[in-house]
Amino acid sequence: PAPAPGPAPVPPELPGWRHVRSGKVRDLYEPASAAPGEGDLLVVASDRVSAFDHVLATPVPDKGAVLTALSLWWFERLAEAGLGVPDHVLSAEVGPDDASSGVPADVAGRAVRCRRLAMLPVECVARGYLTGSGLADYRATGAVCGVELPDGLEDGSRLHRPVFTPATKADVGHDENVSFAVVAELLGPDLAERAREVTLRLYALGEEMARERGVLLADTKIELGLPPGVDAASAEAPGALVLADEVLTPDSSRFWDAAAWAPGRAQPSFDKQFVRDWLLSDASGWDRAADAPPPPLPDDVVEATRGRYVEAYERLTGRRWA
Ligand SMILES: Nc1ncnc(-c2cnn(Cc3cccc(F)c3)c2)c1Cl
């Protein structure tokens, strides 16, 4: 019999807000006073951790707050660096109980109030290094998303130039890597080209800033959207794109410690390696082959993982995590 699914994430009830949907590690809300599908959105980052496609039973304290602070810091850096695309952030400050502005006090520090957009039906991914599904596609076809790559690349190899490797969203299972031609069919050629340009420019800016701090940005996934009323097929759409979701966090990107980088094997994940190693060790007793829900994490693995999120924040932002 199929193993029972893991614990469904139970999003917090937020007075004045209506729960819209939950992802593996984040929860989405809209003001209860707004009609369904209307009004601003609230993106709440939980302390949940996902590993091996399972949401783990044990939360990592402060993960949601640290990744929210990191994403907000990146939004500021990207605007400063001239990304050339506005973002969806309205506020991360606590607002009044009537949800008319700001975020609710119950999730202060791990919630962002955002402009509601019409999200593009494409996961915009840029890769500067080859690993994960990109490596699998390369090993099978010599290419990723239809982009031919040179022979002899290994797990963790740096690419000669970053590649746009879009994917279509899958409700269940993994996103499907698709070619730029497919994206051009979905979005129209001009909007597709603009999405590629923004994704590659964001990656280049993030990769350079991270590398200056001893951290390698292997790849990143962003979400782009259009303000209500802008038709994706219109000539104005490419210039109206807005950067949404979270940016350049360990949940949306692969970060590696530059000092530990060695192509030819799997690189240690900056944030999730302690969790992965413990789950794969005899100590956990986890039957991965049966795809059983992973067991709860021991305190030392939780604490070490919390420390990696704090270290990622402090190294990338140059700020102490109070
Ligand atoms: N500004 C926006 N406008 C419209 N839609 C979105 C939007 C929808 N879905 N997601 C991803 C997601 C899924 C589950 C939980 C989450 F918190 C976030 C982001 C956004 Cl950010």
Side-chain angles (χ1 to χ4, degrees):
V10 180
E13 291 201 4
L14 296 176
W17 294 84
R18 179 187 307 122
H19 176 247
V20 171
R21 93 159 102 99
S22 285
K24 288 181 177 167
V25 298
R26 291 177 304 158
D27 306 302
L28 202 62
Y29 300 80
E30 63 193 6
S33 59
E38 304 283 326
D40 298 338
L41 281 171
L42 188 75
V43 175
V44 179
S46 76
D47 289 345
R48 302 191 297 269
V49 175
S50 168
F52 300 121
D53 291 327
H54 288 272
V55 176
L56 303 185
T58 318
V60 173
D62 298 327
K63 173 179 181 269
V66 172
L67 265 55
T68 298
L70 180 59
S71 184
L72 289 169
W73 180 85
W74 278 117
F75 277 123
E76 291 169 6
R77 297 295 74 66
L78 292 169
E80 238 168 42
L83 176 66
V85 173
D87 62 55
H88 71 157
V89 176
L90 290 174
S91 167
E93 303 303 314
V94 174
D97 285 350
D98 66 359
S100 56
S101 68
V103 307
D106 292 3
V107 289
R110 62 186 184 93
V112 181
R113 188 187 189 106
C114 309
R115 288 168 61 189
R116 183 185 295 265
L117 303 166
M119 304 304 287
L120 300 187
V122 174
E123 303 284 14
C124 294
V125 179
R127 297 170 191 262
Y129 295 76
L130 193 63
T131 193
S133 70
L135 174 66
D137 291 354
Y138 168 78
R139 282 177 168 160
T141 68
V144 189
C145 297
V147 179
E148 298 274 320
L149 296 177
D151 291 344
L153 298 177
E154 307 170 297
D155 195 348
S157 289
R158 186 171 188 188
L159 301 176
H160 299 78
R161 78 179 62 79
V163 179
F164 180 60
T165 62
T168 49
K169 305 174 185 180
D171 287 339
V172 180
H174 290 125
D175 297 341
E176 181 189 351
N177 290 341
V178 295
S179 67
F180 180 76
V182 166
V183 175
E185 282 292 307
L186 281 171
L187 305 182
D190 293 345
L191 190 54
E193 177 52 39
R194 181 71 176 139
R196 172 165 61 184
E197 183 187 329
V198 169
T199 306
L200 287 170
R201 181 158 168 69
L202 184 146
Y203 173 83
L205 292 168
E207 188 275 336
E208 182 183 21
M209 286 187 261
R211 181 163 24 87
E212 287 167 358
R213 295 158 168 88
V215 179
L216 300 185
L217 178 65
D219 52 47
T220 196
K221 176 190 291 188
I222 63 170
E223 300 260 2
L224 295 167
L226 290 167
V230 176
D231 178 350
S234 67
E236 69 172 318
L241 276 177
V242 179
L243 178 58
D245 224 30
E246 61 183 320
V247 286
L248 296 166
T249 71
D251 278 343
S252 71
S253 315
R254 286 187 176 92
F255 287 101
W256 299 331
D257 189 333
W261 178 54
R265 54 153 171 77
Q267 309 308 307
S269 159
F270 196 97
D271 57 307
K272 296 186 174 71
Q273 202 55 45
F274 291 124
V275 168
R276 291 179 181 164
D277 290 349
W278 183 79
L279 284 174
L280 296 181
S281 75
D282 294 340
S284 76
W286 181 41
D287 183 355
R288 183 184 182 190
D291 203 29
L297 299 177
D299 292 349
D300 63 314
V301 173
V302 172
E303 190 46 45
T305 302
R306 176 186 178 284
R308 296 296 282 178
Y309 286 115
V310 170
E311 182 181 352
Y313 173 83
E314 294 189 338
R315 283 180 65 172
L316 291 169
T317 66
R319 300 173 181 175
R320 293 305 308 275
W321 173 256

